[in-house]
Structure formats: C-alpha cells, structure tokens
Amino acid sequence: DTAVSQTPKYLVTQMGNDKSIKCEQNLGHDTMYWYKQDSKKFLKIMFSYNNKELIINETVPNRFSPKSPDKAHLNLHINSLELGDSAVYFCASSSSPWTRGKEQETQYFGPGTRLLVL
Amino acid sequence: GENVEQHPSTLSVQEGDSAVIKCTYSDSASNYFPWYKQELGKGPQLIIDIRSNVGEKKDQRIAVTLNKTAKHFSLHITETQPEDSAVYFCAATKWANGGKLTFGTGTRLTIIP
C-alpha cells in the first residue's frame, strides 16, 4: 500500500482553467503539507494542515485553495491556472510537529503531480 | 526566515568512491536537519536525519555530520553504487516552525560505473 498517494500523476491543461489535485495518506498522521517543485528542482512549502486546520500559508496566491475534509486527505484546488503554475506538486504528511520539546517528525512525500499549463 | 545553501549542484564520482554534499543554514535556532533522496519521477524520500543535540549519525554507507557553531551539515556516502545516482536535498527546520522544511537547492549525484 502506498503511504502517501496523489491523483492525478499528470495534469495537462489550458491557461485559465480550474483544476484539483488530491492527496491521501494512510499513515495515521495528523499533519499534511503541499510543496511545489519548480523546473530547477527547487522545493518550497506552500501549505500545511494540522487536524484539518490551516497552519502554514506561505504567501501563495489565493488562486490556490487547499481543503482538508479529514485528517487523511488534503486536496489542492487551483483557479485560473497560469503558465507559471507549471511545476510538480508534492503532498507530504507527518505526525504533529507542534508540541514544545517534541522532536520534529519525518515528513513522508507522495509521488508528485506533474502539472503543465499550456 | 531560514536560508539553506547546498553545494555542489552536481557531483560525479566513480563507483566505489565516496561522495560528500555540504549545506549551510542561517537560522541558529534550527534544530532538525533531514536529507532526502529524489529519484527520477519520484517524490523525495528521507535517507537520514540529524538533530541538533547530536554531532554525527551513521546508517550503513550513509553518514551525516553537524557543526552547530559553523551552521553547516554534510552528507557522506561511502562505497557508492550506481543506485545512489539521484538528486539529494538537505533541509532545515526548528520546532516552532510547525514542520516547515526549508530545502537546499539540491545536488545531482551521478555514479560512474
């Protein structure tokens, strides 16, 4: 069983369209993340959710809206797609990193969704 | 915020030789430093990590060292094999960051048979 799964794996769409990427984890984690990897392979966090609550929002355009229906799922909806949105989007999950004094937990990444905006 | 620099950007070594990748970080409060390996078409996979209360950690052919004073940490791979070819990322974070990892720019490692 895949620990962190994403659908679709590839997404090719036209500028201006709206699309969604889905992520599911079966690790029992309560924190999930979205990262963006650009064409130069640079990885940058976009959002994180803890127990369905938004915790990190890294100045991402509001065309991007994450939604967490439950702890095991974190979806990413993108409105009005632009050429610059073309990238690989990775979902990740971990146990909660919030408790003072508690060690940070390993983040497990999904296989990625390759988005190409034409 | 945290800034992580990683060198070199590309590295080619003969099979069986050692490879070293170095990272520096800017935030002295950072206390967790994972290393990820990303194979072509796949997501990053954790290969080793180190916390700030430890200076060195080893797992078979892979080791990581941390110098908190100098704010740098390094990945060492010994007896390299063709399957070690991949892109390697270092990262840094601190407990107050809520899990936000700041990644280095990656090193493309190629093992020459």
Side-chain angles (χ1 to χ4, degrees):
Chain A
D1 278 345
T2 304
V4 181
S5 59
Q6 294 179 229
T7 54
K9 187 169 183 179
Y10 298 97
L11 188 51
V12 181
T13 188
Q14 298 288 327
M15 225 168 29
N17 284 351
D18 303 338
K19 291 292 179 186
S20 291
I21 306 171
K22 295 187 176 183
C23 177
E24 176 181 3
Q25 54 93 4
N26 62 6
L27 296 168
H29 291 157
D30 46 21
T31 305
M32 297 184 72
Y33 311 82
W34 278 111
Y35 286 85
K36 179 180 180 181
Q37 186 171 49
D38 63 21
S39 58
K40 295 183 179 177
K41 295 282 191 183
F42 186 60
L43 268 164
K44 188 169 166 43
I45 193 166
M46 301 172 68
F47 302 102
S48 82
Y49 267 75
N50 179 254
N51 280 321
K52 303 191 297 175
E53 182 184 350
L54 180 66
I55 300 298
I56 296 174
N57 181 339
E58 280 291 297
T59 60
V60 177
N62 56 16
R63 296 183 296 105
F64 291 78
S65 52
K67 281 193 171 55
S68 182
D70 55 59
K71 286 198 311 182
H73 297 84
L74 179 62
N75 304 323
L76 183 65
H77 188 75
I78 316 171
N79 289 327
S80 304
L81 278 156
E82 301 177 357
L83 296 177
D85 298 331
S86 296
V88 183
Y89 292 84
F90 288 102
C91 176
S93 74
S94 73
S95 297
S96 173
W98 312 119
T99 308
R100 178 184 278 276
K102 183 178 183 293
E103 292 184 336
Q104 287 86 352
E105 299 288 344
T106 299
Q107 291 185 26
Y108 296 87
F109 283 74
T113 294
R114 284 140 192 85
L115 172 65
L116 178 60
V117 182
L118 302 174
Chain B
E2 176 67 278
N3 182 50
V4 178
E5 295 189 358
Q6 182 171 348
H7 300 280
S9 56
T10 60
L11 179 61
S12 295
V13 300
Q14 290 290 139
E15 183 178 352
D17 287 351
S18 295
V20 180
I21 302 170
K22 299 183 178 182
C23 289
T24 59
Y25 60 98
S26 60
D27 188 345
S28 56
S30 288
N31 59 358
Y32 175 62
F33 308 93
W35 284 89
Y36 283 84
K37 175 184 181 182
Q38 187 177 20
E39 296 175 335
L40 193 62
K42 297 185 178 180
Q45 181 180 17
L46 181 82
I47 54 171
I48 196 167
D49 57 14
I50 191 166
R51 304 181 193 276
S52 59
N53 58 351
V54 175
E56 183 174 358
K57 184 175 177 181
K58 201 171 181 179
D59 183 1
Q60 298 182 335
R61 297 186 297 109
I62 295 173
V64 57
T65 58
L66 172 64
N67 183 327
K68 284 191 297 182
T69 304
K71 289 190 282 188
H72 67 67
F73 55 114
S74 301
L75 177 71
H76 305 253
I77 306 174
T78 58
E79 300 171 19
T80 52
Q81 300 167 3
E83 53 264 37
D84 294 329
S85 293
V87 179
Y88 290 80
F89 292 94
C90 62
T93 190
K94 55 190 177 185
W95 75 265
N97 260 1
K100 174 187 168 183
L101 287 174
T102 299
F103 281 89
T105 47
T107 296
R108 183 175 297 280
L109 175 63
T110 302
I111 308 302
I112 305 165

